Amino acid sequence: MMNPKSRVAFQHVDLIPGMPDDVAVDCLARVPHGAFRSMRRVCRGWKSAATAPEFALARAEAGANEDLVYLLQFCNPDGPKDGNAPENSPAYGVAMYNVTTGEWHRERAAPPMPMFAQCAAVGTRLAVMGGWDPETFEPVADVHVLDAATGVWRRGTPMRSARSFFACAEAGGKIYVAGGHDKLKNALKTAEAYDVVADGWDPLPDMSEERDECDGMATVAGDKFLAVSGYRTGRQGGFERDAEWFDPATREWRRLERVRAPPSAAHVVVRGRVWCIEGTAVMEWRGERRGWIEVGPYPPGLKAGTARAVAVSGGERVVVTGAIESGGHALWVFDVKSKNWTVVQPPAEFAGFVFSLASIRV
């Protein structure tokens, strides 16, 4: 056994020579998200600093946070071919739009994605779930998880039930999925919750109704999951004008009546309020007594029935994707305070139809 007195004393190595570590971390915290991978490769010290839980706080204190919107979309066959992309690129993939910088990025390291897979995010982790096998067109239970802070993908524990076209959202730090349909196109009323950190699924009680093609979101308090509308197996396309929300404290589903706007509406929770983007305006749900009230203008040029929406910047902005009435696809960014829309034309490579999206702040 080595004599303790003979052990070599390892000398502390500064993150940046001649600079206190707290100041060095403040400098590293200001590195743009697009350079994270390169930064972590510089040395072990930088990699350790950039993956520490305190790093996110340092970025927030430095005002260096960036809002990223991840989009599951059909790749545009008419877009330019990236020299690093394989010849047989997948038809359905993961793209990222940096709302803060305006940059676009294709997740080339992502595994092949099932068509019509859906996504939701907890913290810096993006979970991609379910969808169709691109060869058999049958629903799958696959789960893939990206840590946006490190750029690393991993395979998650599969859902307990294969499903597609289901409600999906984060609530209370977990990702909930409910409804959708199975391989026989039977509408489902089953539900489950995913703990991204523990990589495990919790089976939930069934909803009271089958709900195919339902929407998912958090409730006003942000800790309960809401499954909106959908239709039963025997009523294909007959969207219900009600919803169910799951109370994790009692593990019970509760019904809400008359909360559904037109069936093709896009729903999003903004600062604790349920918004609906459809028709001629942006509407907000104020409860069963007051119903829907207008809170903003409709995105200019957005084709009805094609919208997907997500809140970013702590609810200060809303990003909407969809088809343009005159042709093509675009993004619309809504400033909640000024109530103004900004139209963002994506590069040709990212102009495909978006089926699901989620936001992450890094």
Side-chain angles (χ1 to χ4, degrees):
M1 180 180 293
M2 180 183 292
N3 187 329
K5 294 182 179 180
S6 66
R7 290 178 180 170
V8 176
F10 290 96
Q11 186 176 9
H12 171 75
V13 178
D14 293 338
L15 290 173
I16 299 178
M19 183 179 293
D21 278 357
D22 58 340
V23 178
V25 169
D26 181 71
C27 293
L28 296 178
R30 299 170 190 271
V31 173
H33 173 262
F36 272 18
R37 293 183 184 180
S38 299
M39 176 179 67
R40 288 193 299 272
R41 295 189 183 118
V42 171
C43 63
R44 292 181 180 179
W46 283 25
K47 180 179 181 179
S48 177
T51 55
E54 298 79 14
F55 191 69
L57 179 61
R59 281 181 64 82
E61 291 178 344
N65 281 336
E66 296 174 52
D67 291 302
L68 315 177
V69 173
Y70 286 86
L71 311 101
L72 302 186
Q73 67 176 173
F74 288 91
C75 302
N76 182 14
D78 298 323
K81 304 301 180 184
D82 189 321
N84 298 321
E87 291 184 5
N88 297 322
S89 297
Y92 193 71
V94 184
M96 185 272 287
Y97 172 60
N98 189 318
V99 182
T100 305
T101 66
E103 297 174 307
W104 290 83
H105 169 73
R106 177 72 64 193
E107 280 292 328
R108 302 294 184 195
M113 292 296 169
M115 297 194 319
F116 300 112
Q118 303 221 54
C119 64
V122 176
T124 62
R125 293 180 174 89
L126 174 80
V128 180
M129 301 155 290
W132 286 358
D133 182 296
E135 295 183 359
T136 65
F137 300 108
E138 292 186 354
V140 298
D142 298 356
V143 175
H144 301 280
V145 180
L146 166 70
D147 188 336
T150 63
V152 176
W153 284 89
R154 66 172 171 83
R155 193 171 185 88
T157 299
M159 295 186 292
R160 298 171 68 91
S161 300
R163 67 181 79 223
S164 60
F165 294 88
F166 51 91
C168 172
E170 180 275 334
K174 293 185 177 181
I175 294 176
Y176 289 80
V177 300
H181 65 246
D182 61 18
K183 66 178 182 180
L184 299 177
K185 299 297 187 292
N186 291 318
L188 301 172
K189 58 180 179 180
T190 56
E192 46 193 311
Y194 182 51
D195 187 322
V196 181
V197 177
D199 189 28
W201 287 92
D202 175 22
L204 305 179
D206 289 353
M207 296 183 290
S208 65
E209 301 282 355
E210 301 171 339
R211 295 183 183 274
D212 196 1
E213 294 194 44
C214 47
D215 285 344
M217 69 191 76
T219 55
V220 172
D223 61 344
K224 299 177 180 65
F225 173 72
L226 185 68
V228 183
S229 189
Y231 53 82
R232 298 189 289 273
T233 302
R235 285 175 48 83
Q236 289 287 320
F239 287 89
E240 303 293 337
R241 293 182 177 270
D242 61 15
E244 296 184 55
W245 61 274
F246 181 74
D247 186 342
T250 63
R251 294 186 66 83
E252 294 179 338
W253 288 94
R254 303 177 188 274
R255 289 179 64 89
L256 292 175
E257 306 294 340
R258 299 189 300 107
V259 299
R260 177 64 175 172
S264 54
H267 292 90
V268 60
V269 175
V270 180
R271 295 181 176 178
R273 297 281 188 176
V274 177
W275 282 19
C276 169
I277 301 167
E278 183 58 294
T280 59
V282 176
M283 310 295 289
E284 181 178 285
W285 176 249
R286 291 294 182 88
E288 293 194 49
R289 286 190 175 184
R290 298 185 63 186
W292 295 94
I293 66 168
E294 183 176 337
V295 293
Y298 189 73
L302 172 63
K303 185 177 180 180
T306 66
R308 301 287 188 275
V310 66
V312 300
S313 309
E316 295 179 1
R317 289 180 285 185
V318 176
V319 174
V320 174
T321 69
I324 305 171
E325 290 178 335
S326 58
H329 295 84
L331 269 73
W332 290 259
V333 181
F334 184 68
D335 186 292
V336 174
K337 185 176 181 179
S338 68
K339 300 188 183 302
N340 291 324
W341 288 98
T342 300
V343 182
V344 178
Q345 294 289 349
E349 181 187 353
F350 303 96
F353 173 72
V354 175
F355 184 73
S356 182
L357 72 168
S359 65
I360 289 177
R361 171 168 279 193
V362 293

